[in-house]
Amino acid sequence: MIREFTSAEVLFIVLAVRWTLILSAIAFLGGALGGLLIALTRTSQSKALRRIAAGFIQVFQGTPLLMQLFLVYFGLAVVGLPINPLLAAAVALTFHASAYLGEIWRGAIEAVPSGQAEAATALSLSYTDRMRHVVLPQALRLAIAPTVGFLVQLIKGTSLASIIGFTELTRAGQIINNATFKPFLVFGTVAALYFILCWPLSLLARHMETRMRRAITR
Amino acid sequence: MFSRPVDTDRAPFREPIMTEQAILMRAVNKYYGAFHALKDIDLTVERGERIVICGPSGSGKSTLIRTINQLEAIESGTITVDGIELTAGGDNVAKVRRDVGMVFQSFNLFPHMTVLENCVLAPMKSRKISRTEAEATARQYLERVRIPEQADKYPAQLSGGQQQRVAIARALCMKPRIMLFDEPTSALDPEMVKEVLDTMIDLAREGMTMLCVTHEMDFARAVADRVIFMDNGVIVEENAPEAFFNNPTNERLKNFLGQIA
Ligand SMILES: Nc1ncnc2c1ncn2[C@@H]1O[C@H](COP(=O)(O)OP(=O)(O)O)[C@@H](O)[C@H]1O
Ligand SMILES: [Mg+2]
């Protein structure tokens, strides 16, 4: 039974965008928290802590995201949790985003001249105040463009969740394609939707990068 | 131990308490890895004393003054600041840092904050002073370093000399009892050196205990009680400026004075 590619099918695909957005948002927010923790750990005084964070980053940057998805997906069952594609995808993508954002933000923290933290320390500011008021605000400016850039990668990366059966944008496309056998039309639509999500962000990232560069050379 | 009142509006440069030295360093050793940067340093600084430290590049001058607020930790020996032993643990380091101001060669102002914000951050966060009070104090010190009109500008909008004067005001806002200067004029264009030195001379006249790493020998002659010459991590010679400059005993010091004269 071959279905036509009608507005109902298009609507099905368009509505799946919300799951791509939800998954991206969860992974980005979770990854932002995890990434901040990783970045602070990576730049801490303790060698042991730095090693642990470095190990985490290496594991998650050194293995394919797809394998991480599989491991979390099937791992849930092993530890007795119900198999839930959204949960598995959210957990795996959060780890993935934590590792990448952690690395981006570590670089940004280290790019803040050491004299800044020294001056803050000499003024007797605590570690927390030093980070919160002196180092992180400066690091944030450096990190904002690559962070938005990573968000684009993350949104596209959520398409892998289709493989463990989570019906986000890509999986919705597959479902419709299996029914309509109009791959060019279907996946063209899917790609266009990803583009609509990602393109403005890419522009924003580029815009912020130029602004940053101008601010530095000011 | 004398107890210091924690009142926040204490006079910035009140009469020194004569019962204790400002700084006592005993047999201090500092290593960077295998490199022996400070070798058995003994140094006593009386309250209100102004000390100038000079010596060739790499001789350990910065390292020495950075151990006093523990920007650099030491491997052995003791450092006591205002009666508080740095290495004794607890929150001694934080206490000492609250009472010791530091001015760096590269200013190290916080570029994302206005001059005023630079000045009120530490008093508010580590002395827990209200914003109103901290701003009043900041304006008073900006007046003292003669740039009250720059309070709402960002550091990048100021000249080097102005930035360094802000850095001095920022340190003073913590109402420190001791000020450390690490080559405060070395990064400045020649025409701006004087305005910073004048600010430091004012401070010295007001009785602040000061340790200044500098090669400004006129400054040393004008305000120093003692001049110290360091070489290879060792205090080689220390003397009153007159004797230090006119009758140096050490060969390396003679050489050094010949070079910078
Ligand atoms: N963080 C560091 N790591 C390794 N070596 C250092 C470090 N800081 C300073 N040194 C070395 O210690 C010596 C003294 O440095 P420093 O105190 O900065 O000298 P000065 O201020 O007299 O020029 C120099 O040989 C310098 O290379
Ligand atoms: Mg130095």
Side-chain angles (χ1 to χ4, degrees), chain B residues 40-79:
Chain B
D40 272 324
I41 298 286
D42 283 312
L43 177 66
T44 303
V45 180
E46 301 294 336
R47 289 182 191 283
E49 230 187 337
R50 277 93 37 159
I51 293 189
V52 163
I53 303 170
C54 60
S57 172
S59 56
K61 308 177 297 293
S62 298
T63 306
L64 174 70
I65 67 166
R66 288 160 62 91
T67 61
I68 294 167
N69 59 359
Q70 211 174 92
L71 284 187
E72 303 290 351
I74 59 174
E75 268 67 44
S76 70
T78 57
I79 301 178

Side-chain angles (χ1 to χ4, degrees), chain A residues 2-216:
Chain A
I2 295 179
R3 261 159 62 189
E4 283 304 303
F5 188 61
T6 66
S7 57
E9 279 68 35
V10 173
L11 188 66
F12 180 79
I13 291 175
V14 169
L15 284 179
V17 165
R18 72 182 188 280
W19 289 111
T20 291
L21 287 177
I22 288 170
L23 190 53
S24 301
I26 294 174
F28 188 69
L29 293 179
L33 280 180
L36 183 61
L37 202 69
I38 298 272
L40 291 176
T41 316
R42 279 284 277 144
T43 53
S44 78
Q45 298 283 320
S46 155
K47 206 169 182 175
L49 282 180
R50 286 203 305 268
R51 285 241 174 90
I52 293 172
F56 179 90
I57 292 172
Q58 274 156 18
V59 166
F60 284 92
Q61 289 199 339
T63 55
L65 176 55
L66 187 55
M67 293 308 120
Q68 294 161 22
L69 270 170
F70 281 159
L71 286 173
V72 174
Y73 184 60
F74 296 113
L76 287 180
V78 172
V79 297
L81 288 170
I83 288 198
N84 176 333
L86 173 59
L87 181 65
V91 169
L93 283 163
T94 294
F95 280 130
H96 170 79
S98 298
Y100 276 85
L101 289 176
E103 194 64 358
I104 290 172
W105 295 347
R106 173 195 65 82
I109 289 173
E110 285 176 354
V112 176
S114 62
Q116 292 290 308
E118 275 174 9
T121 306
L123 285 163
S124 195
L125 289 176
S126 65
Y127 172 80
T128 317
D129 285 331
R130 207 154 72 217
M131 281 296 163
R132 186 163 150 223
H133 299 287
V134 177
V135 178
L136 291 180
Q138 294 182 60
L140 187 72
R141 287 181 192 196
L142 301 171
I144 204 151
T147 299
V148 175
F150 173 74
L151 177 57
V152 172
Q153 296 302 317
L154 189 64
I155 291 173
K156 292 189 284 189
T158 58
S159 64
L160 284 177
S162 61
I163 296 174
I164 56 170
F166 179 63
T167 310
E168 39 62 74
L169 182 51
T170 300
R171 176 107 181 102
Q174 287 167 346
I175 291 170
I176 296 300
N177 181 52
N178 290 347
T180 60
F181 296 104
K182 296 243 169 33
F184 197 74
L185 212 54
V186 171
F187 291 117
T189 309
V190 169
L193 288 169
Y194 275 114
F195 187 76
I196 290 168
L197 295 182
C198 295
W199 188 54
L201 287 173
S202 297
L203 283 185
L204 183 65
R206 200 175 323 147
H207 171 70
M208 285 190 294
E209 216 176 298
T210 9
R211 238 187 38 184
M212 258 287 308
R213 211 168 294 139
R214 228 177 283 141
I216 285 170

